[in-house]
Each structure stands twice: as C-alpha cells, then as structure tokens.
Amino acid sequence: MIQRQFVRIGNRHVHYRHAGSGPVLILLHQSPQNSRMWLSMIERFAGCYTVIAPDTPGFGYSDPLPGKQDIDGFARATLAFADALGIDRFALFGMHTGGLIGMHLGWIAPERLSALVIDGYALFNDAERARYTDKYLPPFVPSWDGGHLRWLWSRMREQLYFFPWCDPSADCAIVLPPYTPEGTHDAAMDILDVGDNYRIGYGAAFAYTQRQRVAELRCPAWLVYRSTDVLLPHHERLPALPDNVACVIEHEDVDGLHRRMDAILADTTDALGPASADLGARVLEGWYRQIVDTAVGEVAVWVRQGQQGAVLHIHAPGQRPLQPEEVVADARTQLLVELPGHGASCETAHAPEAATMHAALLAVSTRLAGGQSLEVQAHEAAGGYVPALVAALAGQVSGVVLHRPWLLDAAECQTFLQQLPDPQVHRAGGHMAEAWQWERERHLLWPWLAPSAGARRRVAGPDTARVHANVVELLRLGQRLPLLFAGAVVPGLAQAIAALAVPVRLECAEADDYAGRTAALRRQLAG
C-alpha cells in the first residue's frame, strides 16, 4: 500500500509517497507534475524495493526552496531529503527535469548512487533555452475575472499539439493523442496546486547550462530515450560518454523502460541491502506538517505541540485550509486539520459527506490530542460538524468557538445547494469558469438566497488571490462538491449549538452576520 508523509528540513516541508521494502529507489518527477504521477510505478517496483517519491521543491505539497532555485539547489535538496530519512545510498530514477536533477546529484555525490536511470535527458541548446524561457513560462497570476483559468486550460491542451507549446509552427507539431477533458483537468490541477511556482522547475531546467557534465559521471548511469518522447532527438546531442554511462533507445515505451530497470536494478542494488529509512511521522518543535492515517483515508494536519490541552481548528468546507500564520495560537497543542477532499487530504477515495468528516476529525483529535481537554474552533459551514463531534468526544471538549457560523433555515439550505456550481468537467474548461464566478459572487451575495437586489451584500469585492485559492479547492472536490455541502450546510444549527453542554463563543463581524442571527444566538448563550 502506498503511504504519504511529510518531513521537515529546516523550515521547509517535503511531501513524499512510499511503499515496499528492500533497497531504496527514489523517483523524481518531471515539471510541473508531482509524485502523484508515479503511483503505478511505485506499485510496480514496491515488491522488491523501498520506493520513495518526493514532490520536488515547490511542486505538489512540498515547499519551495528559499532564495535562488536552480538544478544545483534541487539536487542538494534531494540529498538533504535522503539524509533526513536516514538513507545513505540509493538508486535514483528521474524523468525530464527529474533526470537533470538526478544527473547533477550524481555529478556532485556519485558515492550516494548505486544506479542512475534517466528517462529523457534534455540537452537544450542556447537558442532553445532563450526561446523557451521567454515564452514558455509566462507568469501565472490570478485575475479578478478568472481569465487565467481559461488560459491554463488552453495551454495544457496545446502542449500535446506542439513542442514547445508556445510555437504553433508546423516544424514544432508533434503527434500525440490529445487529452480527454478529464486528462486536461488533471494536468491543469498540477499547475493549480502550485500556482506561479510552476515556473520554478521549468525555469531551473532551461537555465541549466552544465548538461555536458553527463560525460563526467562516475556512478553507473543509463540514459533512456523512449521513441515516443519529445526529447528523443536530444540523444544525438550527447557528448562522448564514459563506459559507466550508457545511452539506449527504447521502442517499447514505458513497459520497455520498466523491464530495462528490472535488469539494471537487479545488477546494482544487491549490495545496498534492506532499507534503513525512517519513513514515519515525527514529533518536532514548532509547527510541522503530518499525515494521519484514518479509516476514511490519509488526513493532513499542521501541528504545534503545547501543554495543558489542545485546540482543533476546522477550516470552512470548500475553502483553502487554514495556515499556521492565520490562527491565534496559545500554549496549548494546536491542530490545523485539512478536511478530506481538501489540500493534502484531497486524495482520499471516501465521499466528503458528514460521516467522513466526523470520522476524520475524531481520528485526528484522538490520535494527536489524546485525552487532553480539547477546544474546537470551526469556521463558517464547518460549524455544522460541531454538535456531532462534541457528542462523540464525550466530555473531552472544553469549549467551542464558531467563526462566522452559517445559521440557516431549511429553505435557505436548500436554495444554497441548488445554486452550487456544476462540477461536471467540461470539454472547453467551462466548469473552471463557473466555479470561479460562483466563488467570487458568493462573497457579494448571500449565497443561500436567490440572486436579487435583496441578496446583495454591500461589501468590497473579495481578494482575488483568496478567491483563486478557494476555487482550487472547489475544483479538487469536483463531483464530490454537492455531497460536501449537503453534509455541512444544515438547518437548525443555532438550536443545536445552544443545546451544547460546553461553553460557546461566537466570532463574527457585523457585516458577516446574516439577518443578525449570530448576534441573537450570542445573546441567547449569554442569557
């Protein structure tokens, strides 16, 4: 079974997947993807090896490197990652950008690698690097009208018609099957996961001018060029290679590549012996990120260890999870959960209905707070999860804080659910535009009222960056979106909160208090 975890290196968190046992095989992905692209490869090789696939800096769920980010920095970050897991020597496989990182790592630390396999070693010339850097990597900046999403959809489609995608001339045409709508959506999500950081890995690869160092490698290395790869012509640009570096053309695509790796790894990893990697969760000082395995899938949590109790922070469903800098922390243990379907908890197969959320929140509270007294802080529609959670924790909850709670009647809940954006993936990407408009306009109109002048909120337009971050979460949820809100937006919440046998505090600005209901509940609780 493939598992996920975070490791903190300095102040930077690295997310990785792992499975299997035996000698260590590390996989490095191409830009702008992440370790999710290796799921089938991890499963294939986990029968013989401890397979570890990190998200490289700035991609997937891994933090970017500070300061200048180049291939040398990526390679040294990979070594630091191996050190953090207690791995001395390992085999390394990298594709495209991952291959450049692997080559540079082998050049600076050949003693660490038992074998290096590169799928598509890039040797761009100066003219290509200049052309790609200028047009290939435009800034990805959210615009208030959502136009950046339309650009992204078209850009991901175009990359299967031309290489580089930004040059639609006949000599750049490539013959590959176009994406399905679902495939385009998945490719676009890889960019949406990281935003403008998508340029980091690409930019580092294009800027790398030391590709000829491949002829100076002292570790066993194989440069494999699949006949279907757009980088196939680059094998003709290779310098003369030493005997320990082989170049091969693979005509049987990925299956053929994997069979070659079977033979390569069998010949080079026997001396490594069983893995000694430390792949489990760690307890650290300060804020750190952790994956908790629960009955409803893996749940990501920000943790800061403290004393005298704990605080469980639950972000608003359908919105970006809370970050450490957004909470007021005290001496107690702080737990910032990322709800199933959101953030780094988005990969669970369980539907994000209320039962899933309750199971995840209960598991996180039990595992990380133990028997300590627990304060529950819930934002907006997450208040709908609180009554059941308080009942399940049976006396452990010391208090509840609700931030801008949604206190709705049955008709308002029904209207809200009827007005959700259609999550069906559209061939031209229209579902992205619809999610954008819904998320932006729900701040301008009370989203549980039919659109009208009476529903208009006299407030400033929402912050574009925050709208974008929330839309990413809506698009992650996709077809699961109606189930999420059906389990969170519930009528009668005010009565259920008033009946709780624990202290309750309400935090809500007047502009966010629909029809004064929060103020009325506050008075009821005070009386």
Side-chain angles (χ1 to χ4, degrees), residues 82-120:
D83 291 341
L85 298 185
I87 302 168
D88 182 25
R89 295 190 73 225
F90 50 94
L92 179 63
F93 169 82
M95 179 181 180
H96 292 192
T97 304
L100 285 177
I101 297 169
M103 192 286 295
H104 190 81
L105 187 155
W107 185 77
I108 61 176
E111 72 282 357
R112 301 292 296 270
L113 297 184
S114 63
L116 170 63
V117 181
I118 296 177
D119 178 12

Side-chain angles (χ1 to χ4, degrees), residues 44 71 183 198 211 241 285 325 371 385 418 429 440-441 451 460 467 476 483 497 512:
R44 186 190 187 282
I71 292 297
Y198 92 99
R211 290 172 171 80
L241 300 173
E285 293 184 359
E325 62 271 16
Y385 303 138
Q418 290 172 345
R440 186 175 190 277
E441 290 177 2
V467 171
R476 284 191 216 274
L483 278 174
I497 293 299
D512 296 318

